[in-house]
Amino acid sequence: MKRIFLALLFVSGSMVINGQSAFREKYRPQIHFSPRGNWMNDPNGMVFYKGVYHLFFQYYPDSTVWGPMHWGHATSKDLVHWREQPIALYPDSLGYIFSGSAVVDKNNTSLLGKNGRVPLVAAFTHHNIKMERAGNKNFQYQSLAYSLDDGKSWIKYANNPVLKNPGITDFRDPKIMWYEADRKWIMTLATKDRVTFYTSKNLKDWTKQSEFGESLGAHGGVWECPDLFSIDYKGKTIWVLLVSINPGGPNGGSATQYFTGNFDGQFFKPFQTDTRWLDYGTDNYAGVTWSNTGRRKIFIGWMSNWQYANIVPTQKWRSATTLPRELTIQKIGESYFVSSLPVKELDILNKDTKVITMHAPVKDITLSEGPGKIELSSGKAESFSFTFSNRSGEMVIAGYDQGSNEYYIDRTRSGKTDFESKFAARHTAPRIGNSTGLNMTLITDEASIEMFADNGLTVMTDIFFPATPYGNVQFKCGENFSLKKLAYTSLKSIWRQ
Ligand code: FRU
């Protein structure tokens, strides 16, 4: 085994946001969005409008554990630097504000636009806790809110709900898209163990069209947060349906599966019968895509897992989002796969890049502190690993095992793990790509690692909680490893100004 040591030097720095020092707490992500304080879960209502990416999120402003849901709000001009905004939606007499989506109603089909102002329309689930406690099954229903000031403030629609519950206990997370061929809106809704599609001409009156998935895909838990969209693959339109499930993920707890297929405005017809996961790690859940981004499909997920989200050892806030990722299609044989890669906008965080060559042995490379990116490619699919460690002997290992043809992230000895019995574990993912060589990008932050292998065909996201950030990276591989590229780029914090 050859070993390359990359020693990281820690530079202390403080940061000031809106006149306040913040975002330097233990475990605080430096390149991911997290709320300044309190509880966050799913990303919601993501819409791009007038040069601004809006990110709403399930938020409980009064505690660091899940509670009565609001929609928190953050905005960004570049998908990298985020500014938290005032809460967009508060719970009301109809219920908590559960997950949903937002669209730009350019043609004012909803007639919610006034004086020529284009309405942004959000659809969300009202979760009526009183009805739930009373044993009523119909406690989730779909409602609207709209904005007439480009997403800054939101008004609840006066005649909510717009879609009543037909007697299904899990009836939530509406994702809305415009279907140009029929000039109508599609609502993709999670309905217990399947997805139900509804259509509308005005966003207010919805008609059921079809159901999908009762006997397809993974069913280890309830279906949540679906997303239907199309991606152009060499001139062919491929439809993608994302479905999050909890529990039942490939490495335990919550995870997001996807289907590829055709959609005709009424029915989704899958191409595949096997189960595929958008991310095989344990910490990418309930993710969906931005609306109004043209042909680009930009995804972001919640970087946690219901198995332990409420008890992870952060103090002031709980949870962060994943890095934003661009989704594209790759074809292998006759099959279409979805691949995810970090959006190219993140390159503005690149600081120094060190290129490492095996033939000119490198020891003790001094790099800056904080987040970083490793890029590796090899001429053959041979075993290798990266061990990220700190002085306390805590470590996370990420790599590829040729024997099992699997990628893995091992957080067994990653630091604080005793808050949940299954947290300390080694997670695996199949290698989907079949090219002779392989490639991998690993992006690490204070408390997370994101792995994109084979141009994003196999993805893993895991969180961890070391006593101090990992300061060393050790690369291990066989004597004759067919290295093509190995580079380490240190990344700037998004919070430091
Ligand atoms: C997914 C989810 C959604 C629901 C929301 C509640 O994580 O359970 O189905 O709308 O979280 O916070």
Side-chain angles (χ1 to χ4, degrees), residues 283-387:
D283 298 288
N284 177 1
Y285 192 60
V288 288
T289 57
W290 257 273
S291 68
N292 204 36
T293 52
R295 291 188 148 204
R296 257 185 116 189
K297 280 291 141 199
I298 305 168
F299 166 98
I300 204 165
W302 172 42
M303 199 157 60
S304 195
N305 188 314
W306 281 118
Q307 198 171 297
Y308 42 71
N310 276 284
I311 50 171
V312 295
T314 53
Q315 297 298 317
K316 201 172 145 191
W317 83 100
R318 275 218 174 85
S319 306
T321 56
T322 65
L323 288 174
R325 303 166 182 191
E326 181 153 355
L327 305 184
T328 56
I329 296 288
Q330 283 192 47
K331 195 173 182 193
I332 300 180
E334 289 309 303
S335 256
Y336 296 98
F337 289 84
V338 176
S339 69
S340 327
L341 285 174
V343 294
K344 61 179 182 322
E345 284 87 340
L346 288 158
D347 287 349
I348 58 169
L349 297 177
N350 291 356
K351 280 200 287 192
D352 326 310
T353 298
K354 308 269 175 195
V355 176
I356 296 133
T357 55
M358 302 284 279
H359 305 292
V362 184
K363 293 173 201 143
D364 297 332
I365 303 172
T366 306
L367 303 167
S368 344
E369 67 145 356
K373 171 167 69 181
I374 288 179
E375 292 163 291
L376 170 104
S377 63
S378 64
K380 295 187 208 140
E382 299 159 305
S383 299
F384 66 86
S385 69
F386 291 96
T387 302

Side-chain angles (χ1 to χ4, degrees), residues 381-383 399-408 426 428-438 454 458:
E382 299 159 305
S383 299
Y400 170 71
D401 178 60
Q402 189 178 354
S404 57
N405 197 27
E406 282 175 338
Y407 293 101
Y408 60 91
R426 181 177 184 272
T428 61
R431 179 168 192 239
I432 296 164
N434 60 2
S435 53
T436 318
L438 52 75
D454 299 314
T458 299

Side-chain angles (χ1 to χ4, degrees), residues 41-42 58 66 69 98-99 172-173 224-225 285-286 302 306:
N41 57 291
D42 316 353
Q58 289 285 278
W66 191 90
M69 284 290 110
F98 271 23
S99 288
R172 60 176 178 269
D173 309 336
E224 302 185 311
C225 299
Y285 192 60
W302 172 42
W306 281 118

